[in-house]
Amino acid sequence: MKKILVLFMIFVMCFSMAACGGNNDGAGSDPGDASADVSGDGIGEDSSGEVNADGENDGKLDTSDLVVNDESEKQYDFGLSAGTSFGMSGAVKKIGYSNLSGQQRKLEEMTEAAAKSALSGNYSLFGDYEEDLDTIDKLVYVIGTEDDDAEKCFLETGAYHSTDDDRYYQYTVYTSENMYEVSKSQIAAVLKEIKSAYGISVSQSKVEKAAKEVLKNAAETEDYYTLSQSVNIKGSDYTEKVSFAVEGFVTEDDETGFYISVERERTYK
């Protein structure tokens, strides 16, 4: 996550000084056989893979579930599972890699069509092409916020070439609206949208616990604090990393909030 966070923040700052997240190198997928779902350990899921409350007692987060990545991001078991078929898959249909700079318009059209059919909000999208971004030497992307409001949902799709492994990746990222309290109904609505648009299921009760934890840590550190989980899946002609995160933040007015973000990052064979 966050390989191209700087691009998100530049975009967001154009609209508001309030924190509104962005992840990065996500990816998409083509529609496939949903029966090929791959999950983590399945904790908190029912047999259908739908988002569900797992009946755990509310309270302090069990820190035995955490593995430190750095000071501000930790791994957490959300009971994450991901299907190969999802609403936003059209945004990451394979494009031509020989001339990424010439793919901007196509990517905009793909993203706009996918968002209209898969997401409930209205997104004003624009694209750009960048080069020489650390380990990414070529990047074409499309970004936008719901109703041009930095407090609402954020969407990005893109394709890039990694100099680390000399491979091309395509991705799609979705970040929920900012939330300032742990509301069961609000979180349930976000997870329902994510399930439909991104084919990702998690345990709602675990998300609620994680939200309490990131709010607490963001307030204590006055900085971003993230709990995340990723799984890898395989399709007929691709491999894909699917990630889910709850991210806490503090605004310039010392208001503490959080958002939920997902990404799917794909590399074709």
Side-chain angles (χ1 to χ4, degrees):
M1 288 185 164
K2 299 190 176 71
K3 285 184 182 175
I4 53 173
L5 178 58
V6 64
L7 295 176
F8 302 158
M9 297 312 296
I10 290 172
F11 172 75
V12 170
M13 291 295 286
C14 291
F15 292 95
S16 172
M17 294 301 293
C20 184
N23 295 32
N24 46 344
D25 61 74
S29 78
D30 294 336
D33 181 5
S35 66
D37 288 3
V38 178
S39 67
D41 60 11
I43 296 174
E45 298 168 14
D46 58 24
S47 59
S48 66
E50 296 293 332
V51 173
N52 68 95
D54 61 14
E56 294 182 345
N57 294 327
D58 290 333
K60 184 174 176 59
L61 183 69
D62 180 3
T63 55
S64 64
D65 288 334
L66 304 179
V67 178
V68 175
N69 287 335
D70 56 40
E71 292 183 356
S72 64
E73 182 167 353
K74 298 177 185 293
Q75 294 281 329
Y76 178 66
D77 174 20
F78 288 100
L80 171 65
S81 67
T84 56
S85 178
F86 60 100
M88 283 296 296
S89 61
V92 287
K93 184 171 58 177
K94 188 175 182 180
I95 62 175
Y97 298 142
S98 61
N99 180 23
L100 278 187
S101 63
Q103 297 295 310
Q104 179 180 323
R105 182 56 185 161
K106 181 176 182 179
L107 190 62
E108 289 174 352
E109 292 173 348
M110 289 164 49
T111 305
E112 181 178 11
K116 283 184 176 179
S117 65
L119 298 173
S120 58
N122 295 313
Y123 292 82
S124 297
L125 302 168
F126 74 90
D128 204 350
Y129 175 76
E130 302 284 348
E131 293 185 346
D132 301 325
L133 302 169
D134 194 16
T135 60
I136 296 174
D137 61 351
K138 300 175 184 178
L139 166 69
V140 60
Y141 63 93
V142 175
I143 57 179
T145 54
E146 183 182 4
D147 299 329
D148 288 331
D149 186 345
E151 286 282 305
K152 292 188 177 182
C153 303
F154 176 88
L155 175 66
E156 175 169 357
T157 64
Y160 68 91
H161 178 259
S162 171
T163 57
D164 280 343
D165 56 10
D166 192 26
R167 303 190 71 174
Y168 287 91
Y169 293 84
Q170 289 185 233
Y171 66 89
T172 179
V173 176
Y174 173 82
T175 299
S176 76
E177 63 186 328
N178 287 349
M179 292 174 274
Y180 296 93
E181 61 181 12
V182 181
S183 164
K184 292 180 180 292
S185 60
Q186 193 173 20
I187 289 174
V190 171
L191 297 185
K192 182 178 180 181
E193 180 102 323
I194 287 172
K195 170 65 176 177
S196 174
Y198 282 85
I200 293 172
S201 298
V202 292
S203 161
Q204 182 173 336
S205 65
K206 285 180 175 287
V207 173
E208 292 167 4
K209 287 184 178 181
K212 294 175 183 177
E213 184 71 6
V214 300
L215 285 172
K216 174 185 174 183
N217 279 275
E220 291 175 349
T221 62
E222 298 183 348
D223 201 354
Y224 280 80
Y225 186 84
T226 303
L227 297 177
S228 65
Q229 183 181 12
S230 299
V231 295
N232 295 316
I233 66 174
K234 291 183 178 181
S236 59
D237 63 345
Y238 65 85
T239 57
E240 188 173 88
K241 180 180 179 181
V242 181
S243 301
F244 180 94
V246 178
E247 308 194 40
F249 62 85
V250 178
T251 70
E252 288 191 341
D253 297 325
D254 294 326
E255 188 172 17
T256 306
F258 72 97
Y259 50 80
I260 295 169
S261 65
V262 294
E263 60 182 345
R264 299 188 69 131
E265 178 182 62
R266 168 174 296 193
T267 179
Y268 286 93
K269 296 178 181 177

